[in-house]
């Protein structure tokens, strides 16, 4: 970008550059309104543009600030990306919660099977309760299901 020094030192040239970025942003807005791109895509383009310019114009503060102002500032962690990441994190939490629920259900089913085995072996109900930590009403229900009560 051989023109960067000129943009940095000449206000009218910098204005031409920022006007070009305004046109780009206007075109992105039009594409979004027409449904050709969504908010996520528009923000991704703006973020990428800003990030690339920040790298290219690293030593040209006026150029960086002018374009960043037009494109929405340093938007690497832009709103749409943040919303998407929050949704993904929420899905992960729900998945973990669901997994823990399934683990508890499996553990309960295994404990009830163990209790049934104890009942089949004619173990006294208080001992089944002691070793399985199941409630006495649940143990009696299991015993009835086995035809033992």
């Amino acid at each position: 970008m051989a023109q960067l020094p000129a943009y940095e030192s000449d206000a009218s040239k910098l204005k031409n550059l920022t006007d070009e970025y305004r046109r780009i942003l206007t075109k992105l807005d039009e594409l979004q309104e027409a449904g050709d791109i969504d908010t996520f895509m528009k923000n991704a383009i703006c973020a990428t543009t800003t990030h690339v310019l920040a790298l290219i114009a690293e030593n040209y503060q006026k150029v960086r600030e002018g374009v960043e102002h037009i494109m929405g500032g340093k938007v690497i962690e832009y709103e749409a990306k943040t919303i998407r990441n929050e949704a993904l994190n929420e899905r992960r939490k729900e998945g973990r919660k669901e997994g823990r629920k399934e683990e508890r259900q499996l553990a309960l089913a295994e404990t009830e099977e163990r209790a049934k085995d104890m009942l089949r072996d004619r173990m006294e109900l208080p001992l089944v309760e002691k070793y399985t930590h199941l409630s006495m009403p649940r143990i009696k229900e299991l015993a009835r299901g086995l035809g033992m009560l």
Side-chain angles (χ1 to χ4, degrees), residues 88-103:
L88 289 173
N89 287 336
E90 189 61 34
R91 281 190 227 134
R92 285 186 195 113
K93 285 180 192 174
E94 288 299 317
R96 286 192 295 269
K97 192 183 299 181
E98 190 63 32
R100 287 190 297 271
K101 181 180 175 184
E102 289 174 7
E103 287 175 12

mmCIF file of all heavy atoms in Angstrom, residues 88-103:
data_model
loop_
_atom_site.group_PDB
_atom_site.id
_atom_site.type_symbol
_atom_site.label_atom_id
_atom_site.label_comp_id
_atom_site.label_asym_id
_atom_site.label_seq_id
_atom_site.Cartn_x
_atom_site.Cartn_y
_atom_site.Cartn_z
ATOM 1 N N LEU A 88 -23.761 -21.003 21.302
ATOM 2 C CA LEU A 88 -23.017 -22.270 21.311
ATOM 3 C C LEU A 88 -22.689 -22.705 22.732
ATOM 4 O O LEU A 88 -22.822 -23.884 23.073
ATOM 5 C CB LEU A 88 -21.724 -22.131 20.493
ATOM 6 C CG LEU A 88 -21.886 -22.032 18.985
ATOM 7 C CD1 LEU A 88 -20.537 -21.730 18.329
ATOM 8 C CD2 LEU A 88 -22.476 -23.303 18.419
ATOM 9 N N ASN A 89 -22.261 -21.757 23.563
ATOM 10 C CA ASN A 89 -21.949 -22.082 24.954
ATOM 11 C C ASN A 89 -23.189 -22.566 25.690
ATOM 12 O O ASN A 89 -23.106 -23.506 26.490
ATOM 13 C CB ASN A 89 -21.332 -20.875 25.670
ATOM 14 C CG ASN A 89 -19.918 -20.609 25.227
ATOM 15 O OD1 ASN A 89 -19.227 -21.498 24.756
ATOM 16 N ND2 ASN A 89 -19.474 -19.369 25.359
ATOM 17 N N GLU A 90 -24.327 -21.937 25.417
ATOM 18 C CA GLU A 90 -25.581 -22.360 26.059
ATOM 19 C C GLU A 90 -25.941 -23.778 25.629
ATOM 20 O O GLU A 90 -26.351 -24.589 26.456
ATOM 21 C CB GLU A 90 -26.706 -21.387 25.692
ATOM 22 C CG GLU A 90 -27.971 -21.603 26.472
ATOM 23 C CD GLU A 90 -27.810 -21.423 27.974
ATOM 24 O OE1 GLU A 90 -26.999 -20.573 28.408
ATOM 25 O OE2 GLU A 90 -28.483 -22.148 28.723
ATOM 26 N N ARG A 91 -25.758 -24.081 24.332
ATOM 27 C CA ARG A 91 -26.032 -25.445 23.861
ATOM 28 C C ARG A 91 -25.103 -26.451 24.528
ATOM 29 O O ARG A 91 -25.510 -27.554 24.878
ATOM 30 C CB ARG A 91 -25.886 -25.524 22.343
ATOM 31 C CG ARG A 91 -27.085 -24.983 21.626
ATOM 32 C CD ARG A 91 -27.026 -25.290 20.142
ATOM 33 N NE ARG A 91 -27.353 -24.061 19.455
ATOM 34 C CZ ARG A 91 -26.706 -23.565 18.426
ATOM 35 N NH1 ARG A 91 -25.707 -24.197 17.903
ATOM 36 N NH2 ARG A 91 -27.087 -22.430 17.889
ATOM 37 N N ARG A 92 -23.837 -26.059 24.705
ATOM 38 C CA ARG A 92 -22.892 -26.958 25.384
ATOM 39 C C ARG A 92 -23.318 -27.214 26.820
ATOM 40 O O ARG A 92 -23.272 -28.342 27.304
ATOM 41 C CB ARG A 92 -21.484 -26.362 25.345
ATOM 42 C CG ARG A 92 -20.820 -26.469 24.012
ATOM 43 C CD ARG A 92 -19.365 -25.986 24.066
ATOM 44 N NE ARG A 92 -18.877 -25.775 22.738
ATOM 45 C CZ ARG A 92 -18.556 -24.605 22.213
ATOM 46 N NH1 ARG A 92 -18.643 -23.512 22.940
ATOM 47 N NH2 ARG A 92 -18.134 -24.503 20.984
ATOM 48 N N LYS A 93 -23.732 -26.138 27.505
ATOM 49 C CA LYS A 93 -24.198 -26.289 28.887
ATOM 50 C C LYS A 93 -25.403 -27.211 28.946
ATOM 51 O O LYS A 93 -25.492 -28.081 29.813
ATOM 52 C CB LYS A 93 -24.577 -24.927 29.481
ATOM 53 C CG LYS A 93 -23.424 -24.057 29.845
ATOM 54 C CD LYS A 93 -23.935 -22.736 30.418
ATOM 55 C CE LYS A 93 -22.837 -21.714 30.531
ATOM 56 N NZ LYS A 93 -23.362 -20.403 30.954
ATOM 57 N N GLU A 94 -26.351 -27.000 28.022
ATOM 58 C CA GLU A 94 -27.538 -27.846 27.983
ATOM 59 C C GLU A 94 -27.152 -29.295 27.721
ATOM 60 O O GLU A 94 -27.711 -30.210 28.315
ATOM 61 C CB GLU A 94 -28.525 -27.357 26.909
ATOM 62 C CG GLU A 94 -29.233 -26.073 27.273
ATOM 63 C CD GLU A 94 -30.075 -26.195 28.531
ATOM 64 O OE1 GLU A 94 -30.773 -27.206 28.699
ATOM 65 O OE2 GLU A 94 -30.027 -25.266 29.359
ATOM 66 N N GLY A 95 -26.193 -29.486 26.820
ATOM 67 C CA GLY A 95 -25.728 -30.841 26.522
ATOM 68 C C GLY A 95 -25.096 -31.489 27.744
ATOM 69 O O GLY A 95 -25.344 -32.659 28.039
ATOM 70 N N ARG A 96 -24.286 -30.728 28.475
ATOM 71 C CA ARG A 96 -23.682 -31.271 29.693
ATOM 72 C C ARG A 96 -24.745 -31.581 30.735
ATOM 73 O O ARG A 96 -24.695 -32.607 31.400
ATOM 74 C CB ARG A 96 -22.636 -30.305 30.250
ATOM 75 C CG ARG A 96 -21.342 -30.286 29.447
ATOM 76 C CD ARG A 96 -20.232 -29.542 30.173
ATOM 77 N NE ARG A 96 -20.510 -28.133 30.347
ATOM 78 C CZ ARG A 96 -20.166 -27.176 29.508
ATOM 79 N NH1 ARG A 96 -19.507 -27.468 28.409
ATOM 80 N NH2 ARG A 96 -20.457 -25.913 29.749
ATOM 81 N N LYS A 97 -25.719 -30.666 30.852
ATOM 82 C CA LYS A 97 -26.792 -30.870 31.816
ATOM 83 C C LYS A 97 -27.579 -32.132 31.458
ATOM 84 O O LYS A 97 -27.907 -32.943 32.325
ATOM 85 C CB LYS A 97 -27.722 -29.655 31.822
ATOM 86 C CG LYS A 97 -28.697 -29.618 32.964
ATOM 87 C CD LYS A 97 -29.642 -28.425 32.897
ATOM 88 C CE LYS A 97 -28.945 -27.114 32.961
ATOM 89 N NZ LYS A 97 -29.853 -25.954 32.930
ATOM 90 N N GLU A 98 -27.886 -32.280 30.155
ATOM 91 C CA GLU A 98 -28.612 -33.453 29.691
ATOM 92 C C GLU A 98 -27.789 -34.717 29.933
ATOM 93 O O GLU A 98 -28.324 -35.740 30.342
ATOM 94 C CB GLU A 98 -28.954 -33.310 28.204
ATOM 95 C CG GLU A 98 -29.902 -34.351 27.681
ATOM 96 C CD GLU A 98 -31.275 -34.308 28.329
ATOM 97 O OE1 GLU A 98 -31.745 -33.226 28.705
ATOM 98 O OE2 GLU A 98 -31.868 -35.396 28.453
ATOM 99 N N GLY A 99 -26.480 -34.630 29.698
ATOM 100 C CA GLY A 99 -25.602 -35.777 29.938
ATOM 101 C C GLY A 99 -25.586 -36.172 31.406
ATOM 102 O O GLY A 99 -25.627 -37.360 31.740
ATOM 103 N N ARG A 100 -25.537 -35.182 32.294
ATOM 104 C CA ARG A 100 -25.560 -35.489 33.737
ATOM 105 C C ARG A 100 -26.890 -36.121 34.129
ATOM 106 O O ARG A 100 -26.931 -37.047 34.925
ATOM 107 C CB ARG A 100 -25.296 -34.219 34.555
ATOM 108 C CG ARG A 100 -23.840 -33.766 34.495
ATOM 109 C CD ARG A 100 -23.550 -32.670 35.497
ATOM 110 N NE ARG A 100 -24.305 -31.451 35.271
ATOM 111 C CZ ARG A 100 -23.926 -30.442 34.511
ATOM 112 N NH1 ARG A 100 -22.770 -30.491 33.880
ATOM 113 N NH2 ARG A 100 -24.680 -29.372 34.366
ATOM 114 N N LYS A 101 -27.974 -35.633 33.534
ATOM 115 C CA LYS A 101 -29.299 -36.194 33.816
ATOM 116 C C LYS A 101 -29.336 -37.661 33.384
ATOM 117 O O LYS A 101 -29.816 -38.524 34.123
ATOM 118 C CB LYS A 101 -30.365 -35.386 33.084
ATOM 119 C CG LYS A 101 -31.776 -35.862 33.308
ATOM 120 C CD LYS A 101 -32.767 -34.999 32.547
ATOM 121 C CE LYS A 101 -34.171 -35.535 32.669
ATOM 122 N NZ LYS A 101 -35.114 -34.751 31.850
ATOM 123 N N GLU A 102 -28.819 -37.945 32.204
ATOM 124 C CA GLU A 102 -28.786 -39.325 31.712
ATOM 125 C C GLU A 102 -27.917 -40.201 32.601
ATOM 126 O O GLU A 102 -28.260 -41.360 32.873
ATOM 127 C CB GLU A 102 -28.290 -39.364 30.265
ATOM 128 C CG GLU A 102 -29.280 -38.802 29.277
ATOM 129 C CD GLU A 102 -28.733 -38.717 27.865
ATOM 130 O OE1 GLU A 102 -27.608 -39.219 27.601
ATOM 131 O OE2 GLU A 102 -29.429 -38.127 27.017
ATOM 132 N N GLU A 103 -26.783 -39.665 33.069
ATOM 133 C CA GLU A 103 -25.917 -40.421 33.975
ATOM 134 C C GLU A 103 -26.647 -40.764 35.266
ATOM 135 O O GLU A 103 -26.535 -41.889 35.775
ATOM 136 C CB GLU A 103 -24.648 -39.630 34.296
ATOM 137 C CG GLU A 103 -23.666 -39.563 33.155
ATOM 138 C CD GLU A 103 -22.470 -38.658 33.461
ATOM 139 O OE1 GLU A 103 -22.292 -38.256 34.633
ATOM 140 O OE2 GLU A 103 -21.727 -38.341 32.527
#
